[in-house]
Amino acid sequence: MYLTEKDVGTDPYPIGIGPGVNASLAREFADYTLSGVAQTRGVWQVIQAFNHNNTRLPMWPSDGLFRTPSLDEMRSMVWQSICAGANGIFLYSFFESYRDHDVDFNTQWGRMQIVAAEVANQSEILLRESAPAPETPTGTSAWWRMTRSHWVDKEKGIYMLYVVSDGKGGGETEFVLPWSIDYVEVLAPGSSSLTRRIHPPSNRTSSFVDVVAPLGIAVYRVTLKNVLKP
């Protein structure tokens, strides 16, 4: 049904609507939307930044469910959509946030600015040529993670790996790549400043291990041991 449209998008608003519904719904909607257009359309995902109850005053706060998404939830939902392959992101919405009851507007607007700035900081890389993704984890050890990869400098063998937890899990996870790794730099998403460096284990030079928190986003700049040939 999407193929008559030029750009498409979906708008999951999962936070606070009921038990068992969480930020991972953003992943499900993004995957469904990208699959529905078979990667042939631009996809703009709309991310919840408001409290559902801002138009349901008689229910506040007796149900105990409705609430405004946290900074971590918004960040995760945005990066879930990006890692799924979305081309654009909306945070909904500026005006709705004025009516939220549990978080004041200035606080929530500040959170939205943080998330938007982090994505903008990576936008130049996100628009570059895609790079091969890490191997899909076996079993259920890292079913919570999503990734997206782009070349920084293909001739020098440097590429960026973005990882996000959908909120259903997190923790230590292994990334297995198709090449031998020299070292991995862990970057701060909002500034691209180096926070630490990881080296692959001596007996498995094509992989590295790190910890990604539930709802967390990790940015890795990977330098390969052998420069790729064009």
Side-chain angles (χ1 to χ4, degrees), residues 30-229:
D31 283 342
Y32 171 80
T33 307
L34 268 294
S35 174
V37 298
Q39 309 288 335
T40 62
R41 298 290 187 275
V43 172
W44 296 71
Q45 288 301 98
V46 187
I47 304 303
Q48 180 185 353
F50 69 98
N51 185 330
H52 279 284
N53 207 40
N54 62 26
T55 58
R56 300 175 176 86
L57 288 175
M59 299 176 66
W60 178 267
S62 60
D63 58 355
L65 292 175
F66 292 124
R67 63 179 178 83
T68 299
S70 68
L71 172 59
D72 287 343
E73 287 169 329
M74 281 196 300
R75 177 187 283 123
S76 176
M77 289 189 289
V78 164
W79 281 97
Q80 286 176 54
S81 299
I82 292 172
C83 287
N87 308 97
I89 298 291
F90 288 102
L91 289 169
Y92 187 84
S93 90
F94 181 89
F95 297 105
E96 293 281 351
S97 297
Y98 269 111
R99 296 195 290 266
D100 287 347
H101 306 278
D102 54 341
V103 178
D104 67 87
F105 172 80
N106 288 334
T107 297
Q108 188 63 358
W109 179 240
R111 293 173 178 174
M112 287 188 264
Q113 288 178 308
I114 290 171
V115 175
E118 290 173 347
V119 175
N121 184 63
Q122 300 297 327
S123 60
E124 194 270 336
I125 301 296
L126 290 169
L127 293 172
R128 293 190 183 188
E129 179 186 354
S130 296
E135 291 182 9
T136 302
T138 58
T140 59
S141 60
W143 46 268
W144 46 263
R145 84 182 196 197
M146 300 179 70
T147 67
R148 180 165 172 165
S149 307
H150 290 271
W151 288 108
V152 176
D153 190 324
K154 195 171 185 178
E155 291 187 358
K156 293 182 179 178
I158 302 172
Y159 87 109
M160 203 77 84
L161 171 63
Y162 301 92
V163 183
V164 65
S165 160
D166 67 6
K168 287 187 174 181
E172 185 175 280
T173 183
E174 181 182 26
F175 302 97
V176 181
L177 308 182
W179 324 277
S180 293
I181 300 167
D182 191 3
Y183 58 87
V184 178
E185 295 170 302
V186 185
L187 308 180
S191 66
S192 294
S193 59
L194 176 65
T195 61
R196 54 194 170 87
R197 182 173 287 191
I198 303 171
H199 290 277
S202 58
N203 63 339
R204 194 169 171 80
T205 60
S206 63
S207 74
F208 69 96
V209 175
D210 200 24
V211 175
V212 179
L215 295 174
I217 165 74
V219 180
Y220 303 106
R221 185 166 57 210
V222 182
T223 299
L224 306 179
K225 184 163 289 186
N226 299 310
V227 176
L228 300 182
K229 300 298 181 184

